[in-house]
Protein backbone atom coordinates (compact mmCIF):
# COMPACT_ATOMS: atom_id res chain seq x y z
CA UNK A 1 0.00 0.00 0.00
CA UNK A 2 1.35 3.41 -0.94
CA UNK A 3 1.37 6.01 1.86
CA UNK A 4 1.52 9.67 0.84
CA UNK A 5 2.66 11.78 3.79
CA UNK A 6 1.34 15.28 4.29
CA UNK A 7 4.75 16.88 3.72
CA UNK A 8 4.83 15.33 0.26
CA UNK A 9 1.31 16.33 -0.69
CA UNK A 10 2.45 19.27 -2.83
CA UNK A 11 4.48 17.00 -5.12
CA UNK A 12 2.95 16.21 -8.48
CA UNK A 13 1.45 12.73 -8.70
CA UNK A 14 0.51 11.63 -12.18
CA UNK A 15 -0.02 7.88 -11.78
CA UNK A 16 -3.48 6.66 -12.76
CA UNK A 17 -5.54 4.54 -10.33
CA UNK A 18 -8.81 2.70 -10.73
CA UNK A 19 -9.97 3.73 -7.26
CA UNK A 20 -8.84 6.59 -5.02
CA UNK A 21 -10.00 6.35 -1.39
CA UNK A 22 -9.87 9.51 0.69
CA UNK A 23 -9.33 8.81 4.39
CA UNK A 24 -8.16 5.69 6.18
CA UNK A 25 -10.88 4.85 8.67
CA UNK A 26 -12.44 1.40 8.81
CA UNK A 27 -15.00 2.00 6.05
CA UNK A 28 -12.40 3.56 3.76
CA UNK A 29 -9.92 0.73 4.26
CA UNK A 30 -12.65 -1.85 3.75
CA UNK A 31 -13.52 -0.22 0.43
CA UNK A 32 -9.85 -0.08 -0.56
CA UNK A 33 -9.16 -3.72 0.34
CA UNK A 34 -12.32 -4.87 -1.43
CA UNK A 35 -11.43 -3.01 -4.62
CA UNK A 36 -7.85 -4.31 -4.53
CA UNK A 37 -9.12 -7.84 -3.95
CA UNK A 38 -11.04 -7.52 -7.22
CA UNK A 39 -7.82 -6.67 -9.06
CA UNK A 40 -8.24 -2.90 -9.20
CA UNK A 41 -5.32 -0.55 -8.56
CA UNK A 42 -6.08 1.49 -5.46
CA UNK A 43 -4.60 4.53 -3.75
CA UNK A 44 -5.47 5.49 -0.15
CA UNK A 45 -4.96 9.16 0.75
CA UNK A 46 -4.68 10.21 4.40
CA UNK A 47 -4.08 13.80 5.54
CA UNK A 48 -2.69 12.75 8.93
CA UNK A 49 0.71 11.15 9.49
CA UNK A 50 -1.09 8.13 11.01
CA UNK A 51 -3.60 5.69 9.52
CA UNK A 52 -6.94 4.75 11.01
CA UNK A 53 -8.71 7.97 11.90
CA UNK A 54 -11.18 7.77 14.76
CA UNK A 55 -11.83 4.10 13.91
CA UNK A 56 -8.41 3.19 15.30
CA UNK A 57 -9.17 4.69 18.73
CA UNK A 58 -12.76 3.43 18.93
CA UNK A 59 -14.17 0.22 20.33
CA UNK A 60 -14.09 -1.11 16.76
CA UNK A 61 -17.46 -2.83 17.13
CA UNK A 62 -19.61 -3.76 14.15
CA UNK A 63 -23.40 -3.69 14.40
CA UNK A 64 -24.77 -6.32 12.02
CA UNK A 65 -28.43 -7.30 12.08
CA UNK A 66 -29.37 -11.00 11.70
CA UNK A 67 -25.72 -12.06 11.44
CA UNK A 68 -24.43 -15.62 11.21
CA UNK A 69 -23.04 -15.60 14.76
CA UNK A 70 -26.46 -14.78 16.19
CA UNK A 71 -28.16 -17.45 14.14
CA UNK A 72 -25.64 -20.08 15.24
CA UNK A 73 -26.22 -19.03 18.85
CA UNK A 74 -29.97 -19.48 18.43
CA UNK A 75 -30.77 -15.78 18.62
CA UNK A 76 -33.76 -14.76 16.52
CA UNK A 77 -33.42 -11.49 14.61
CA UNK A 78 -34.63 -9.96 11.36
CA UNK A 79 -33.85 -7.18 8.92
CA UNK A 80 -37.31 -5.72 9.50
CA UNK A 81 -36.69 -5.46 13.26
CA UNK A 82 -33.33 -3.82 12.59
CA UNK A 83 -34.97 -1.37 10.21
CA UNK A 84 -37.61 -0.48 12.79
CA UNK A 85 -34.90 0.20 15.35
CA UNK A 86 -32.61 2.24 13.11
CA UNK A 87 -35.48 4.34 11.79
CA UNK A 88 -36.50 5.11 15.36
CA UNK A 89 -32.91 6.08 16.22
CA UNK A 90 -32.45 8.18 13.07
CA UNK A 91 -35.81 10.00 13.39
CA UNK A 92 -35.98 10.59 9.65
CA UNK A 93 -32.40 11.75 9.21
CA UNK A 94 -29.85 10.16 6.89
CA UNK A 95 -30.12 8.55 3.46
CA UNK A 96 -32.49 5.62 3.21
CA UNK A 97 -30.47 3.86 0.48
CA UNK A 98 -27.40 3.75 2.74
CA UNK A 99 -29.44 2.41 5.61
CA UNK A 100 -30.97 -0.24 3.38
CA UNK A 101 -27.52 -1.25 2.11
CA UNK A 102 -26.14 -1.55 5.64
CA UNK A 103 -29.04 -3.66 6.84
CA UNK A 104 -29.45 -5.87 3.79
CA UNK A 105 -25.78 -6.42 3.00
CA UNK A 106 -24.11 -6.22 6.41
CA UNK A 107 -23.97 -10.01 6.59
CA UNK A 108 -22.43 -10.21 3.10
CA UNK A 109 -19.81 -7.65 4.11
CA UNK A 110 -18.95 -9.57 7.27
CA UNK A 111 -18.62 -12.88 5.41
CA UNK A 112 -16.39 -11.27 2.78
CA UNK A 113 -14.20 -9.55 5.37
CA UNK A 114 -13.60 -12.85 7.14
CA UNK A 115 -13.31 -15.23 4.19
CA UNK A 116 -11.45 -13.02 1.69
CA UNK A 117 -9.75 -10.24 3.67
CA UNK A 118 -8.72 -12.41 6.61
CA UNK A 119 -10.35 -10.36 9.36
CA UNK A 120 -11.28 -12.10 12.62
CA UNK A 121 -14.12 -11.20 14.95
CA UNK A 122 -15.58 -12.13 18.33
CA UNK A 123 -19.31 -12.37 19.01
CA UNK A 124 -20.85 -10.43 21.91
CA UNK A 125 -24.06 -12.38 22.33
CA UNK A 126 -25.45 -10.36 25.24
CA UNK A 127 -24.31 -6.87 24.24
CA UNK A 128 -27.60 -4.91 23.93
CA UNK A 129 -28.59 -2.19 21.50
CA UNK A 130 -28.03 1.16 23.20
CA UNK A 131 -31.64 2.34 23.05
CA UNK A 132 -33.63 -0.47 24.64
CA UNK A 133 -36.60 1.87 24.93
CA UNK A 134 -37.07 2.01 21.14
CA UNK A 135 -39.05 -0.44 18.98
CA UNK A 136 -36.97 -3.12 17.25
CA UNK A 137 -34.16 -2.98 19.82
CA UNK A 138 -32.40 -6.28 20.53
CA UNK A 139 -31.16 -7.43 23.93
CA UNK A 140 -28.09 -8.91 22.22
CA UNK A 141 -26.77 -10.60 19.11
CA UNK A 142 -26.08 -7.66 16.79
CA UNK A 143 -22.65 -6.59 18.03
CA UNK A 144 -19.33 -8.07 16.90
CA UNK A 145 -15.85 -6.91 17.87
CA UNK A 146 -12.42 -7.44 16.31
CA UNK A 147 -10.36 -10.31 17.65
CA UNK A 148 -6.91 -9.77 19.12
CA UNK A 149 -4.36 -9.21 16.35
CA UNK A 150 -0.57 -9.25 16.38
CA UNK A 151 -0.25 -6.03 14.44
CA UNK A 152 3.54 -5.73 14.77
CA UNK A 153 4.12 -9.21 13.35
CA UNK A 154 1.72 -8.74 10.43
CA UNK A 155 2.44 -5.11 9.54
CA UNK A 156 6.19 -4.84 9.96
CA UNK A 157 7.29 -1.24 9.38
CA UNK A 158 3.68 -0.17 8.82
CA UNK A 159 2.99 -0.89 12.50
CA UNK A 160 4.34 2.52 13.51
CA UNK A 161 1.98 4.23 11.04
CA UNK A 162 -1.22 3.03 12.78
CA UNK A 163 -2.99 5.36 15.19
CA UNK A 164 -3.60 3.99 18.69
CA UNK A 165 -4.92 5.38 21.95
CA UNK A 166 -2.43 3.45 24.04
CA UNK A 167 -4.91 1.19 25.85
CA UNK A 168 -3.78 -2.26 26.86
CA UNK A 169 -4.99 -4.82 24.30
CA UNK A 170 -7.98 -6.78 25.58
CA UNK A 171 -11.38 -7.54 24.12
CA UNK A 172 -14.82 -6.69 25.45
CA UNK A 173 -15.45 -10.43 25.51
CA UNK A 174 -12.52 -10.83 27.92
CA UNK A 175 -13.66 -7.83 29.96
CA UNK A 176 -17.06 -9.42 30.48
CA UNK A 177 -15.44 -12.71 31.47
CA UNK A 178 -13.05 -11.13 33.98
CA UNK A 179 -15.86 -9.04 35.43
CA UNK A 180 -13.79 -6.43 37.28
CA UNK A 181 -10.51 -4.58 36.84
CA UNK A 182 -9.20 -6.21 40.02
CA UNK A 183 -9.33 -9.55 38.18
CA UNK A 184 -7.50 -8.40 35.07
CA UNK A 185 -4.23 -10.22 34.21
CA UNK A 186 -2.29 -6.97 33.99
CA UNK A 187 1.11 -8.59 33.45
CA UNK A 188 -0.22 -10.63 30.52
CA UNK A 189 -1.83 -7.55 28.98
CA UNK A 190 1.41 -5.61 29.25
CA UNK A 191 3.24 -8.48 27.52
CA UNK A 192 0.66 -8.38 24.74
CA UNK A 193 1.35 -4.69 24.18
CA UNK A 194 5.10 -5.25 24.16
CA UNK A 195 4.63 -8.02 21.59
CA UNK A 196 2.62 -5.70 19.34
CA UNK A 197 -0.89 -7.06 19.86
CA UNK A 198 -3.85 -4.83 19.07
CA UNK A 199 -7.47 -4.94 20.19
CA UNK A 200 -10.70 -3.06 19.51
CA UNK A 201 -10.48 -0.35 16.82
CA UNK A 202 -6.70 -0.56 16.72
CA UNK A 203 -7.02 -4.24 15.78
CA UNK A 204 -9.72 -3.57 13.19
CA UNK A 205 -7.66 -0.93 11.39
CA UNK A 206 -4.48 -3.02 11.66
CA UNK A 207 -6.22 -6.02 10.08
CA UNK A 208 -7.58 -3.85 7.27
CA UNK A 209 -4.21 -2.20 6.59
CA UNK A 210 -2.69 -5.68 6.49
CA UNK A 211 -5.32 -6.76 3.95
CA UNK A 212 -4.59 -3.68 1.84
CA UNK A 213 -0.83 -4.09 2.01
CA UNK A 214 -1.00 -7.74 1.00
CA UNK A 215 -2.92 -6.70 -2.11
CA UNK A 216 -0.41 -4.05 -3.06
Amino acid sequence: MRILKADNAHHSHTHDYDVVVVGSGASSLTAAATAADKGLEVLVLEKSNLLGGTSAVSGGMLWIVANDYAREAGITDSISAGLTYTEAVARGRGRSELLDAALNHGVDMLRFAEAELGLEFLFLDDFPDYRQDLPGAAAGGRTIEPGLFNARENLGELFDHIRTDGRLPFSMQEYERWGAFTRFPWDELERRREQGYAAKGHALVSMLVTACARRG
Side-chain angles (χ1 to χ4, degrees), residues 146-184:
L148 291 175
F149 183 70
N150 194 323
R152 187 190 305 276
E153 181 180 285
N154 284 277
L155 287 168
E157 64 180 18
L158 279 174
F159 177 78
D160 293 327
H161 292 278
I162 309 297
R163 186 183 304 279
T164 177
D165 60 3
R167 289 180 291 183
L168 289 172
F170 62 87
S171 66
M172 181 61 69
Q173 191 180 79
E174 290 176 315
Y175 173 84
E176 293 177 346
R177 184 172 71 249
W178 294 327
F181 285 111
T182 54
R183 298 172 58 188
F184 273 36

Side-chain angles (χ1 to χ4, degrees), residues 99-169:
L99 177 58
D100 289 342
L103 288 169
N104 288 294
H105 300 289
V107 171
D108 298 331
M109 180 278 297
L110 186 59
R111 290 171 181 168
F112 178 83
E114 291 179 307
E116 304 301 331
L117 302 185
L119 274 64
E120 297 182 1
F121 297 98
L122 303 172
F123 181 50
L124 302 177
D125 58 343
D126 59 354
F127 195 92
D129 289 341
Y130 292 130
R131 292 293 304 274
Q132 288 292 296
D133 58 311
L134 296 180
R142 293 174 175 171
T143 302
I144 298 148
E145 69 169 331
L148 291 175
F149 183 70
N150 194 323
R152 187 190 305 276
E153 181 180 285
N154 284 277
L155 287 168
E157 64 180 18
L158 279 174
F159 177 78
D160 293 327
H161 292 278
I162 309 297
R163 186 183 304 279
T164 177
D165 60 3
R167 289 180 291 183
L168 289 172

Side-chain angles (χ1 to χ4, degrees), residues 21-31 46 48 50-62 119 121 144-146 161-167 198-209:
V21 177
V22 180
S24 64
S27 59
S28 297
L29 292 173
T30 301
E46 169 56 54
S48 168
L50 294 172
L51 298 167
T54 56
S55 297
V57 296
S58 72
M61 295 178 178
L62 280 66
L119 274 64
F121 297 98
I144 298 148
E145 69 169 331
H161 292 278
I162 309 297
R163 186 183 304 279
T164 177
D165 60 3
R167 289 180 291 183
K200 303 182 176 66
H202 186 205
L204 179 61
V205 167
S206 296
M207 284 189 272
L208 287 167
V209 171

